[in-house]
Amino acid sequence: MERTQRLEGDCPPRISELVEKINRDIKVRHVLCGAEMALREAGVTETRQLLELHPSDFDALKMPLLLKSRLRRIRERGGWIPEDMLGRGDAAAPGWA
């Protein structure tokens, strides 16, 4: 079973915190900002709100595809961040080249 980490706290983390957490290999700042801006323009600033979006509304968002794919995986897992997205070290996750 894939190890995961749940985002928890007194209030849901901000989208900016989530994007920073899963950006392990994206060094281009405008890509990260593009994802945050697309979500902010849709009124989504908290992870909880991201999870509440209807799948077709999420699919309609225009944002960098790599981050969109990562956010989709988190949405599919109900807010759980897969271990391979946590950015611990530079080693690739097993099965990834």
Side-chain angles (χ1 to χ4, degrees):
M1 180 176 206
E2 185 176 3
R3 290 179 44 195
T4 56
Q5 176 180 341
R6 178 73 181 206
L7 292 171
E8 296 178 344
D10 290 338
C11 51
R14 311 291 291 169
I15 288 294
S16 58
E17 295 168 357
L18 176 60
V19 169
E20 284 294 323
K21 193 169 198 107
I22 65 171
N23 79 354
R24 72 181 186 279
D25 57 352
I26 301 172
K27 305 297 183 207
V28 182
R29 189 73 199 150
H30 77 271
V31 172
L32 301 174
C33 291
E36 290 178 42
M37 184 62 71
L39 290 165
R40 192 175 303 122
E41 288 175 358
V44 177
T45 58
E46 298 178 359
T47 302
R48 172 187 54 82
Q49 295 166 330
L50 174 69
L51 300 175
E52 291 175 10
L53 285 176
H54 190 276
S56 61
D57 293 334
F58 179 78
D59 289 341
L61 290 172
K62 302 289 186 210
M63 71 172 67
L65 294 179
L66 181 59
L67 279 172
K68 188 172 186 177
S69 293
R70 291 177 182 179
L71 291 172
R72 180 177 286 114
R73 287 180 61 200
I74 292 167
R75 282 175 41 82
E76 290 169 351
R77 289 163 177 78
W80 291 84
I81 302 175
E83 182 79 18
D84 65 309
M85 283 191 206
L86 292 176
R88 295 194 179 119
D90 293 330
W96 292 80

